[in-house]
Amino acid sequence: MTIREGDPAPRFTLPDAPGHEVDVGERIGERPVVLLFFPLAFSSTCTAEMCAVRDEWERWEELDAAVYGISVDSPFVTERFREEHRLPFPVLSDFNREVAEAYGVLYEEFYGLEGVAKRAAFVIGQDGKIAFSWVSDDASLEPDYEAVRKATERSRFDG
């Protein structure tokens, strides 16, 4: 079942490169956290999505958001994907599919492949709850970045 707005956000740690773990759970409560699940690195829409976030990075920085891309690709792939596209945020490997499963965003079948993450966007607020949830069964759709930013803005600390 997909995580919905108001649900507690599952905490997790994933690698962004071989041998390097990122504890996303420790960022929850510290600042707004944005999770961008995508099916597969280097595919056209996934590349367009991650590069769209990169190209507007100043706007994300203004929100003091901790942004993470997440795919089921290996950490070798996510590291290379991030480097090749000069992404200013971590791209995490959910190779074992535990986080995508916890968030309820796994395709049963995706072009003959099993266990691929759906395209999804979540914003986790200061209270550790989901402030925004968008999940698409159509992998060709990108999230509404402005809606994600507005939810992130609403999730910022008041002081």
Side-chain angles (χ1 to χ4, degrees):
M1 184 164 128
T2 301
I3 295 287
R4 300 192 190 293
E5 291 176 25
D7 289 346
R11 294 174 181 258
F12 60 91
T13 300
L14 289 174
D16 67 344
H20 185 260
E21 298 280 323
V22 176
D23 186 349
V24 176
E26 76 180 10
R27 302 310 295 266
I28 295 173
E30 179 181 292
R31 60 201 293 198
V33 174
V34 178
L35 305 178
L36 300 171
F37 288 88
F38 61 95
L40 297 167
F42 296 104
S43 61
S44 60
T45 306
C46 298
T47 300
E49 177 185 6
M50 295 297 108
C51 290
V53 174
R54 175 202 64 203
D55 294 346
E56 300 241 331
W57 188 244
E58 278 186 19
R59 294 184 71 192
W60 295 101
E61 285 184 313
E62 289 170 4
L63 296 171
D64 192 33
V67 177
Y68 301 94
I70 304 173
S71 79
V72 299
D73 294 293
S74 79
F76 298 96
V77 173
T78 59
E79 179 183 39
R80 178 122 187 216
F81 183 69
R82 180 177 184 227
E83 289 171 355
E84 281 194 21
H85 295 292
R86 292 186 229 106
L87 303 176
F89 53 91
V91 178
L92 307 176
S93 168
D94 187 21
F95 191 75
N96 294 325
R97 290 132 175 97
E98 293 168 356
V99 177
E101 186 173 319
Y103 278 80
V105 296
L106 278 179
Y107 282 110
E108 286 184 33
E109 188 271 335
F110 182 76
Y111 296 103
L113 303 173
E114 295 178 13
V116 173
K118 294 180 181 181
R119 192 168 318 283
F122 296 94
V123 176
I124 304 169
Q126 178 180 5
D127 60 0
K129 294 183 180 175
I130 301 296
F132 177 87
S133 171
W134 175 83
V135 180
S136 180
D137 286 320
D138 182 349
S140 70
L141 295 178
E142 292 180 51
D144 178 343
Y145 303 109
E146 196 57 37
V148 177
R149 278 192 289 272
K150 285 180 181 176
T152 304
E153 174 71 31
R154 289 190 305 268
S155 299
R156 289 176 62 189
F157 304 147
D158 293 326

